[in-house]
Amino acid sequence: PLSTLTADYSFTLAGATIKAMNCGDSYEVGKTNWFVEVTKDTQNGDIVMLDLLADSADNCNGLYSVLSNAMDYSYKFFPGVIGADGLACSWYAKFNSGKLGSTIAPLVGGIIKIEQADSGNAKITLSCTDDTGNKIEATIDGSIEVVDMQ
């Protein structure tokens, strides 16, 4: 297992910074790939990283489930894995003195909901599981910056 969580974990982030990067159809599956990063306290706070496939190139709003059927790419998230450069795809982690600490958990199941309250704010709800079966639940509200990476 990749997760270091030993129990279920839930948290709330109000006033978070949400950066949503439109990476175009980078997986070449006819969907827009969005990489979303959520932070608040980059010294000792929580961080959420999401790798999403959406039908829209305008925003990443939607209800996402884990990608498990290679034929259905609409509103899916890629489960967390360890890549050549470290954490890849969808993860929960915690900063420790400004660096990713020893608390990490890949998001491998469940639901992610992203709602845009208005043009500059968003709400993200996580109801996920890690690779050892722990629940990771969060309610996140914050300002969103949309960046076109194409």
Side-chain angles (χ1 to χ4, degrees):
L2 301 173
S3 180
T4 61
L5 293 178
T6 58
D8 294 348
Y9 185 70
S10 63
F11 62 100
T12 300
L13 286 181
T17 299
I18 304 166
K19 187 172 185 178
M21 293 163 271
N22 176 340
C23 302
D25 186 9
S26 60
Y27 289 106
E28 299 180 353
V29 294
K31 303 296 176 189
T32 301
N33 176 222
W34 287 90
F35 184 75
V36 178
E37 184 178 84
V38 177
T39 58
K40 183 172 182 182
D41 172 1
T42 57
Q43 282 300 302
N44 296 300
D46 303 291
I47 180 171
V48 176
M49 297 169 281
L50 305 173
D51 195 354
L52 310 170
L53 291 174
D55 290 349
S56 175
D58 296 326
N59 62 64
C60 57
N61 299 337
L63 184 63
Y64 297 85
S65 59
V66 69
L67 179 65
S68 59
N69 177 348
M71 299 304 289
D72 179 12
Y73 298 107
S74 286
Y75 295 98
K76 300 297 181 189
F77 70 89
F78 287 92
V81 296
I82 300 286
D85 296 328
L87 304 183
C89 300
S90 302
W91 285 83
Y92 163 77
K94 195 157 189 82
F95 286 111
N96 183 359
S97 299
K99 298 180 181 176
L100 287 183
S102 59
T103 303
I104 60 170
L107 305 178
V108 300
I111 299 292
I112 298 167
K113 184 177 183 181
I114 300 178
E115 304 168 273
Q116 196 162 349
D118 60 39
S119 61
N121 294 300
K123 178 179 180 181
I124 300 174
T125 306
L126 300 180
S127 183
C128 294
T129 55
D130 68 9
D131 60 341
T132 61
N134 295 307
K135 292 179 186 174
I136 302 167
E137 297 181 330
T139 301
I140 300 162
D141 290 290
S143 60
I144 187 166
E145 175 189 4
V146 177
V147 179
D148 191 346
M149 303 292 290
Q150 301 183 72

